[in-house]
Amino acid sequence: MPQLRILTGITPSGTPHLGNYAGAIRPAVNASKQPDVESFYFLSDYHALIKTGSPERVQRSTLEIAATWLAAGLRPEKVWFYRQSDIPEIPELTWLLTCVTGKGLLNRAHAYKAAVDKNTAEGENADAGVTMGLFMYPLLMAADILMFNAHKVPVGRDQIQHLEMARDIAASFNHRYGEHFVLPEAAVDDAVATLPGLDGRKMSKSYDNTIPLFAPPAELKRRILTIVTDSKASGEPKQTEGSALFQLFQAFATPAETETMRGRFAQGIAWGDAKEALFDKLETVIAPMRARYEELIAEPQRIEQVLKSGAERLRARYATPFVARLREAVGLRRLDQLPAAPADARPQAQARPQVKQYREADGQFYFKLVDGEGRTLLQSHAFAAPREAGQAVAALKNGEHFAQWADLANGASASDVTRVLAALRAE
Ligand code: TRP
């Protein structure tokens, strides 16, 4: 039975906080309990090397994050739970993908472009301080995903572009070497809470406004006391809208408890009392997990064993045979088994896909994208000049999103377009 495969990576470069728990860990642990899904959760420690130069920090964070997921209820016998660097096939696949990926694709990655823009604004050399690790980040991530042919990848909005790139890369490889990869999709859940931090902005390590998930109770209380509120006195009605305190409470309370708290806000609860209530609520949810977490952290050899065993089984089940197949497909083959007649690895191409530019009776200029069977997949809007149409075609081929110039036609889907554009680029 084809199962839905869901995969996501967590980069071990810090200490887990409440925002990580509500935004990623809790929904993932819940999703992993659904029937008919095969879930993959891994610690992307190769990615951590891009973010930090501190070996101690990578190691410590890997331990803390692994323990957090287990304490939060992840069942390593029910899901694949592993560490990226325990799967040597992942860097191997990264290279195979690197060889079918245009440099231009990576030039457009947001994280890389942001670094270049910052350098340019500061009058520095465009690539100052940019490592190849940062530049290649989306390729390593594509290998993580494509290695297990994941269908859905739960990620935050900031990662959507990386998923689009993974699809492009998979399509290029499939076009050249045959259908080996599923085209993965980002799953962005708008219902999942983005928690505010102590200062009301999104809770994030980079704003230094976090509440560590497993801080001891006294520290948890101390942090809660520093949550920014307005200066309304006790007895004055308070707004729930825009209140970080209220949102944090809501993320951990039942709907009924949330309504009760809403009532207390309207009746002018004192901020001190609201903070006390938030502390009590968090403590009820977190205390049992914290106890499990502390037990786990105290026995790192058990966690090491869980991760090693996950990776070992996963390699045997998927990674090793799959990479063997891919090596064969690209021509990294035994020498004593030459094919009878030398054959091109390319699947026999039918008619080639193409972009046709033309002028209509209305005097305007148009283009359309046609696949190998002659079906029109995209029909452009009108352009006043041929040059404009030509620029749009170039940008389209370059991977920019088509919606600004053209509409899907004949029931084609965006993934049909991605596939055909990859085919065009590969020529
Ligand atoms: N880039 C992701 C992040 O920083 C982590 C990650 C690495 C990942 N590899 C992945 C997420 C593969 C999903 C799939 O959040």
Side-chain angles (χ1 to χ4, degrees):
M1 236 5 282
Q3 269 194 338
L4 185 67
R5 285 186 297 273
I6 300 187
L7 172 144
T8 199
I10 312 97
T11 305
S13 57
T15 296
H17 55 68
L18 286 184
N20 300 138
Y21 177 72
I25 305 173
R26 185 173 59 188
V29 171
N30 288 339
S32 75
K33 292 179 178 152
Q34 283 170 28
D36 298 325
V37 228
E38 187 174 12
S39 317
F40 299 73
Y41 298 108
F42 69 99
L43 297 148
S44 44
D45 53 350
Y46 283 134
H47 280 99
L49 303 185
I50 299 164
K51 302 198 175 169
T52 163
S54 159
E56 291 73 31
R57 180 145 179 213
V58 174
Q59 183 190 28
R60 179 74 204 169
S61 174
T62 304
L63 174 67
E64 288 179 355
I65 292 182
T68 301
W69 281 73
L70 295 170
L74 194 75
R75 305 273 304 274
E77 66 289 354
K78 292 256 157 60
V79 301
W80 296 110
F81 185 52
Y82 56 102
R83 174 169 49 192
Q84 186 184 30
S85 67
D86 283 335
I87 315 253
E89 288 84 357
I90 291 176
E92 183 165 6
L93 176 56
T94 303
W95 181 252
L96 301 186
L97 299 176
T98 302
C99 296
V100 295
T101 301
K103 176 169 177 287
L105 185 82
L106 295 177
N107 285 341
R108 287 194 295 278
H110 298 319
Y112 171 66
K113 270 181 33 187
V116 168
D117 290 349
K118 183 160 175 285
N119 281 335
T120 313
E122 289 167 2
E124 291 272 5
N125 175 302
D127 283 323
V130 176
T131 63
M132 284 306 288
L134 175 67
F135 188 68
M136 302 255 303
Y137 188 109
L139 262 165
L140 177 58
M141 182 160 160
D144 293 332
I145 299 168
L146 301 178
M147 172 60 76
F148 302 109
N149 269 327
H151 301 99
K152 295 246 181 261
V153 183
V155 284
R157 301 211 154 273
D158 59 326
Q159 300 287 319
I160 293 178
Q161 188 197 30
H162 292 151
L163 262 294
E164 284 165 3
M165 292 183 163
R167 293 169 63 85
D168 272 0
I169 294 167
S172 302
F173 190 97
N174 285 350
H175 179 73
R176 184 168 314 164
Y177 297 115
E179 293 293 317
H180 294 281
F181 296 123
V182 165
L183 303 192
E185 276 175 34
V188 179
D189 189 346
D190 291 319
V192 159
T194 311
L195 289 196
L198 301 172
D199 58 358
R201 290 185 292 173
K202 179 185 168 187
M203 190 180 290
S204 160
K205 210 173 42 182
S206 37
Y207 295 147
D208 198 18
N209 65 357
T210 66
I211 302 179
L213 180 55
F214 295 133
E219 152 110 17
L220 178 61
K221 186 160 229 166
R222 200 177 55 71
R223 295 266 181 151
I224 289 174
L225 289 176
T226 67
I227 295 173
V228 174
T229 60
D230 60 27
S231 55
K232 291 214 170 77
S234 170
E236 283 184 72
K238 306 204 164 43
Q239 297 262 319
T240 53
E241 179 103 15
S243 160
L245 194 68
F246 185 80
Q247 283 173 50
L248 285 163
F249 184 87
Q250 182 170 33
F252 289 87
T254 64
E257 290 166 341
T258 303
E259 283 325 297
T260 308
M261 184 54 76
R262 199 186 294 285
R264 295 179 70 188
F265 266 60
Q267 286 154 23
I269 187 174
W271 285 125
D273 294 340
K275 287 180 173 176
E276 192 69 34
L278 173 61
F279 172 73
D280 290 343
K281 181 74 257 168
L282 287 176
E283 199 45 29
T284 343
V285 177
I286 293 172
M289 281 195 285
R290 187 196 291 125
R292 284 197 294 276
Y293 175 81
E294 269 151 17
E295 266 174 52
L296 285 159
I297 285 277
E299 288 187 274
Q301 69 283 6
R302 256 175 62 194
I303 300 183
E304 180 64 32
Q305 179 50 35
V306 166
L307 293 174
K308 274 274 168 351
S309 145
E312 217 166 275
R313 287 177 291 122
L314 191 53
R315 290 183 68 197
R317 171 81 177 81
Y318 288 108
T320 311
F322 190 37
V323 166
R325 204 176 103 200
L326 297 174
R327 291 178 62 105
E328 180 70 24
V330 302
L332 304 175
R333 299 176 182 158
R334 291 177 61 111
L335 300 181
D336 54 359
Q337 291 173 351
L338 291 180
D344 195 322
R346 281 183 195 234
Q348 267 312 305
Q350 316 120 342
R352 306 156 80 204
Q354 50 183 310
V355 178
K356 295 185 178 164
Q357 280 180 246
Y358 54 96
R359 188 175 195 180
E360 283 281 15
D362 62 4
Q364 309 250 64
F365 297 86
Y366 296 84
F367 67 81
K368 57 188 181 182
L369 174 69
V370 181
D371 72 7
E373 275 99 48
R375 176 171 73 135
T376 298
L377 303 182
L378 275 185
Q379 173 61 62
S380 81
H381 312 155
F383 295 91
R387 217 178 103 78
E388 289 169 19
Q391 280 167 347
V393 169
L396 177 75
K397 287 187 175 168
N398 222 352
E400 281 176 45
H401 195 50
F402 60 77
Q404 46 186 320
W405 311 291
D407 298 315
L408 290 167
N410 297 317
S413 67
S415 68
D416 294 334
V417 171
T418 306
R419 189 169 36 75
V420 166
L421 285 175
L424 269 175
R425 273 197 293 273
E427 276 175 4

